[in-house]
Amino acid sequence: MRTLDDPPRTAELVVVGGGVVGAATAFEAARAGLRPVLLEARPALCTLTTPVAAGAFRLQFEDRDELELVRRSVEVFLSFEEATGQDRYRLGVRQQGYLWLTTTEEGAARQRELVERLHAWGQSDVELLSGDEVRARFPYVGPEVVQARFRAGDGFLDPKALTFGLVEGSGADVVPRCRATGFRLEGGRLRAVETTRGMVGCEAAVVACGPFSGILAAGAGVRLPIEAVRRHKLVLPDLPLVPAEAPMTIDEDTGVHWRPAAGGAWALFTDPATPPSEPTMDVPTDHRFAFDLLDPGSPHALARVVPFWRRVWEHGAWNWLLQAGQYDVTPDHRPLLGRTGVEGLLVHAGYSGHGVMGSVGGARIVVDDLLGKLAPEDNPFRLDRDPRAVPPPTL
């Protein structure tokens, strides 16, 4: 990784966006023999959306295509220093599992059906646990839980270390404080990326700037079905009530989830009713989010299935802080990967909340498409797919 004061006049490949998705794109491009230049609008990489992520990965998906994509990412996560050829940034993988809890028979039936499908797709290490089995293994789980699904191999990682390690491994030239503003086209082909600090001549570029991807692509006449949806992360450091060895724990009936982090926990939830908002570099926080999760009287309370969160609320003196970012959401909640109608211009965006875990696998698809190694019919995430073909996931 080399940081430049000014963008180069030409580049073999320009990647727009310095979060984890752009970093993964640069990494996979370099592995394929390309020399990427990474443009980031802000003064430093990984400072907007990626740091607000849950920092976790799982192989429990309702969609087989996305499962296969994340499997490719996890292969890199589990051998990160070796795969990236660097040891400056260590991923800190902790395979503590993902535990999905339900309190209803309807939820239990859906879990049984999904676990059966996952086993058929080769993910045979996903377990179904009865309520009593859950509490025997995870004593903090409440009596309301009737069943859970669990995979011990799922886990946590540091999303900032992931981003910087991928860029370091790519050897990319990085240009901070350089916002891409548009593209120069000739005869339907990309010729350059326009930026706030000059033009970068190129014949290939990847739009990988999260919620801003739709705005940027529109400058080339490419419409991306992406909406920005605000998400929050509640950070509760130094909270000894949280078991440090706990898995990611999800109330599958509500979507509320938490994981051990920073000596305490990170808690997250995005209400499906949250309306889209304009992409912004300054995502505002809403104090009501913390109360929605911490107040036991809330329908989205953490205490609904894990009683020790009631004690956190009753004690009252624990510190917390809020972070906010934006999901880049597509109609079917699947990413947009690959070619656009402009020759040489590709997209890597639209993860709808799964960008950290999908980043490397998605980047491989984008780079293969760029190099002509992937037929359109073999890319289930291509931009011209029918968004109605796959039902949106429940979480």
Side-chain angles (χ1 to χ4, degrees), residues 4 72 80 105 179-180 196 214 268 283:
L4 305 180
R72 291 193 286 270
F80 189 65
E105 290 304 325
R179 180 171 62 88
T196 51
L268 304 98
V283 185

Side-chain angles (χ1 to χ4, degrees), residues 11-15 189-190 193 202-206 344-346 370:
E12 187 172 20
L13 171 68
V14 175
V15 180
R189 178 172 183 84
L190 178 69
V193 176
C202 62
E203 294 192 355
V206 179
L345 183 64
L346 296 92
L370 169 64

Side-chain angles (χ1 to χ4, degrees), residues 77-91:
F77 298 161
L78 297 183
S79 58
F80 189 65
E81 287 79 20
E82 179 182 357
T84 56
Q86 58 83 45
D87 58 9
R88 184 180 183 187
Y89 302 102
R90 298 185 178 274
L91 206 51

Side-chain angles (χ1 to χ4, degrees), residues 217-349:
V222 175
R223 180 188 174 277
L224 300 182
I226 288 178
E227 293 182 321
V229 177
R230 183 172 62 172
R231 68 179 183 193
H232 280 89
K233 181 166 78 176
L234 176 62
V235 179
L236 300 110
D238 304 319
L239 186 62
L241 287 172
V242 176
E245 72 284 356
M248 175 74 80
T249 302
I250 303 110
D251 182 344
E252 192 161 4
D253 301 334
T254 66
V256 173
H257 51 291
W258 60 271
R259 56 156 286 196
W266 293 346
L268 304 98
F269 169 63
T270 299
D271 190 330
T274 303
S277 52
E278 290 298 315
T280 177
M281 289 285 186
D282 299 294
V283 185
T285 58
D286 184 339
H287 69 278
R288 293 173 294 183
F289 176 81
F291 300 123
D292 196 26
L293 267 58
L294 293 174
D295 184 349
S298 164
H300 304 127
L302 292 161
R304 202 184 82 88
V305 292
V306 177
F308 74 68
W309 285 106
R310 182 178 294 273
R311 292 162 57 198
V312 173
W313 175 257
E314 290 171 348
H315 184 282
W318 302 113
N319 292 307
W320 75 65
L321 61 92
L322 278 177
Q323 295 177 307
Q326 290 178 315
Y327 286 143
D328 47 328
V329 179
T330 63
D332 59 5
H333 289 227
R334 288 152 55 97
L336 302 170
L337 308 178
R339 304 178 194 183
T340 69
V342 175
E343 189 175 353
L345 183 64
L346 296 92
V347 171
H348 187 187

Side-chain angles (χ1 to χ4, degrees), residues 19-368:
V20 68
V21 173
T25 306
F27 173 70
E28 285 295 331
R31 288 219 288 187
L34 301 173
R35 295 188 61 188
V37 172
L38 188 62
L39 306 182
E40 168 53 45
R42 290 158 73 93
L45 300 176
C46 194
T47 59
L48 182 59
T49 297
T50 302
V52 189
F57 61 90
R58 58 181 164 96
L59 294 181
Q60 298 185 61
F61 280 93
E62 300 173 27
D63 173 26
R64 186 172 188 175
D65 293 328
E66 195 165 9
L67 172 65
E68 298 291 348
L69 181 138
V70 175
R71 278 176 175 161
R72 291 193 286 270
S73 293
V74 172
E75 289 174 3
V76 172
F77 298 161
L78 297 183
S79 58
F80 189 65
E81 287 79 20
E82 179 182 357
T84 56
Q86 58 83 45
D87 58 9
R88 184 180 183 187
Y89 302 102
R90 298 185 178 274
L91 206 51
V93 169
R94 293 154 53 198
Q95 288 179 279
Q96 296 181 202
Y98 258 68
L99 179 67
W100 303 72
L101 307 171
T102 184
T103 63
T104 70
E105 290 304 325
E106 294 83 359
R110 287 193 296 270
Q111 286 189 343
R112 289 191 293 270
E113 192 274 335
L114 176 56
V115 170
E116 184 177 336
R117 270 190 288 152
L118 287 166
H119 287 184
W121 296 340
Q123 206 61 55
S124 59
D125 55 354
V126 181
E127 303 176 69
L128 268 179
L129 304 174
S130 70
D132 289 341
E133 288 172 330
V134 174
R135 284 178 285 275
R137 199 178 300 189
F138 307 102
Y140 59 81
V141 172
E144 302 85 359
V145 171
V146 299
Q147 186 177 276
R149 54 183 170 98
F150 177 67
R151 179 177 181 270
D154 296 338
F156 315 140
L157 51 75
D158 181 337
K160 295 205 74 166
L162 174 61
T163 302
F164 278 87
L166 289 170
V167 176
E168 183 79 8
S170 76
D173 289 338
V174 177
V175 191
R177 300 183 179 88
C178 184
R179 180 171 62 88
T181 57
F183 304 96
R184 175 166 291 182
L185 310 178
E186 292 179 5
R189 178 172 183 84
L190 178 69
R191 293 302 182 191
V193 176
E194 298 170 344
T195 83
T196 51
R197 295 169 59 189
M199 189 107 50
V200 182
C202 62
E203 294 192 355
V206 179
V207 176
C209 46
F212 291 93
S213 297
I215 294 173
L216 181 59
V222 175
R223 180 188 174 277
L224 300 182
I226 288 178
E227 293 182 321
V229 177
R230 183 172 62 172
R231 68 179 183 193
H232 280 89
K233 181 166 78 176
L234 176 62
V235 179
L236 300 110
D238 304 319
L239 186 62
L241 287 172
V242 176
E245 72 284 356
M248 175 74 80
T249 302
I250 303 110
D251 182 344
E252 192 161 4
D253 301 334
T254 66
V256 173
H257 51 291
W258 60 271
R259 56 156 286 196
W266 293 346
L268 304 98
F269 169 63
T270 299
D271 190 330
T274 303
S277 52
E278 290 298 315
T280 177
M281 289 285 186
D282 299 294
V283 185
T285 58
D286 184 339
H287 69 278
R288 293 173 294 183
F289 176 81
F291 300 123
D292 196 26
L293 267 58
L294 293 174
D295 184 349
S298 164
H300 304 127
L302 292 161
R304 202 184 82 88
V305 292
V306 177
F308 74 68
W309 285 106
R310 182 178 294 273
R311 292 162 57 198
V312 173
W313 175 257
E314 290 171 348
H315 184 282
W318 302 113
N319 292 307
W320 75 65
L321 61 92
L322 278 177
Q323 295 177 307
Q326 290 178 315
Y327 286 143
D328 47 328
V329 179
T330 63
D332 59 5
H333 289 227
R334 288 152 55 97
L336 302 170
L337 308 178
R339 304 178 194 183
T340 69
V342 175
E343 189 175 353
L345 183 64
L346 296 92
V347 171
H348 187 187
Y351 276 99
S352 306
H354 300 156
V356 166
M357 63 183 89
S359 57
V360 177
R364 195 172 305 174
I365 290 174
V366 171
V367 172
D368 282 350

